[in-house]
Amino acid sequence: MTTHNKSQIQELLDSNPTFIDQAIRLLGENQTADELAMKTTNQHNDIGFSAAHARTGTRLFEFVTGIATRTGKQTWAPKPLSHPTAARVFRRQLQNHGLETAEQLGHKVALVHWRQLGALLSWTPVTTGATKPKAKQKQRRDSVVVRGAEVQTMKGKAVRVLWDSKRVWLPKSQIRVNSETGDITMPKWLARNKGMLAKPGDPTVGGERSDDGFDWDGWNGGR
């Protein structure tokens, strides 16, 4: 028996995009390993993605977690559904649903399964207290925005993030975290030293270093 209602879950999903990403994670974790691997729902137990949303939901889960469900291994850097590449990855699904963004797609799938998302009521997005930059504020030319890093914990003057399955410590004084998108702005030298910025000639995906060694940006540009 649920102790929450649909309106409560919708309010959270509407309030902050990170709740949408977390909702997709929770639903994917409710799938069995076989269901994730096959991108189907064969256990009709009202847990995980429904059969009508199994493939789409599992692909969303892969995107926000970086886990290749066929192997169950961390293969890519986790990325929020607000990431610039998300619209390309889910282009067909967005067209079929008549939606514009991957966030809207994740919101729709999550809300269908609201009964399973009570854990969102006690979940708090991790931030460093940074505020959203002003619309007219220009990014410094020597800084870079890193997307897809998973903020894990804060200790003293540092923040630990998960990047490409590696734990990376970043100094609070050198970074700014967007609490809505999870994007991290930092000096280019810091991103490069921490292995979070592609060097000239490196294969990239969405402007970031490709985890699997394939130059996805170059491949897409040549199509």
Side-chain angles (χ1 to χ4, degrees):
M1 181 177 179
T2 59
T3 58
H4 60 279
N5 56 52
K6 185 176 181 179
S7 296
Q8 289 175 299
I9 301 303
Q10 181 166 359
E11 184 176 352
L12 289 176
L13 298 177
D14 291 342
S15 68
N16 190 326
T18 57
F19 279 105
I20 300 175
D21 297 334
Q22 180 64 7
I24 295 300
R25 291 189 193 97
L26 292 172
L27 292 170
E29 289 169 358
N30 282 343
Q31 294 282 86
T32 66
D34 288 344
E35 288 175 329
L36 285 175
M38 300 298 294
K39 292 183 173 61
T40 60
T41 293
N42 49 48
Q43 302 292 327
H44 301 290
N45 52 9
D46 295 326
I47 297 295
F49 299 113
S50 65
H53 297 88
R55 178 168 292 275
T56 297
T58 303
R59 291 198 63 199
L60 290 168
F61 175 77
E62 287 183 319
F63 193 87
V64 300
T65 63
I67 295 173
T69 55
R70 188 174 63 178
T71 62
K73 296 181 179 180
Q74 187 85 34
T75 307
W76 314 281
K79 291 179 173 61
L81 293 178
S82 59
H83 194 278
T85 63
R88 297 203 302 270
V89 172
F90 297 101
R91 180 177 59 183
R92 180 174 60 82
Q93 289 87 348
L94 295 180
Q95 290 176 344
N96 292 342
H97 282 273
L99 302 174
E100 296 181 355
T101 68
E103 285 182 347
Q104 293 174 344
L105 179 63
H107 186 291
K108 182 175 182 179
V109 172
L111 199 58
V112 168
H113 305 85
W114 66 269
R115 289 180 177 82
Q116 300 178 49
L117 299 177
L120 288 181
L121 297 174
S122 58
W123 182 78
T124 303
V126 179
T127 68
T128 60
T131 57
K132 188 176 181 180
K134 296 180 181 179
K136 294 184 179 180
Q137 183 178 353
K138 294 183 179 180
Q139 179 182 326
R140 293 180 57 185
R141 299 180 67 179
D142 60 348
S143 65
V144 63
V145 177
V146 174
R147 298 181 173 89
E150 180 183 341
V151 178
Q152 292 189 317
T153 187
M154 291 179 284
K155 185 176 181 181
K157 298 181 179 181
V159 177
R160 190 181 75 192
V161 303
L162 188 64
W163 177 264
D164 195 13
S165 301
K166 296 180 292 186
R167 293 175 176 176
V168 179
W169 285 97
L170 300 171
K172 289 183 181 179
S173 61
Q174 295 290 342
I175 67 173
R176 184 174 70 250
V177 180
N178 187 315
S179 60
E180 294 186 4
T181 65
D183 295 348
I184 304 177
T185 302
M186 68 180 73
K188 285 184 178 180
W189 64 263
L190 178 61
R192 189 173 292 110
N193 288 350
K194 295 294 185 178
M196 303 173 76
L197 180 64
K199 300 177 182 178
D202 281 351
T204 61
V205 55
E208 300 173 1
R209 190 175 186 280
S210 176
D211 303 327
D212 57 10
F214 185 80
D215 188 4
W216 292 99
D217 289 339
W219 177 73
N220 286 332
R223 295 184 66 185

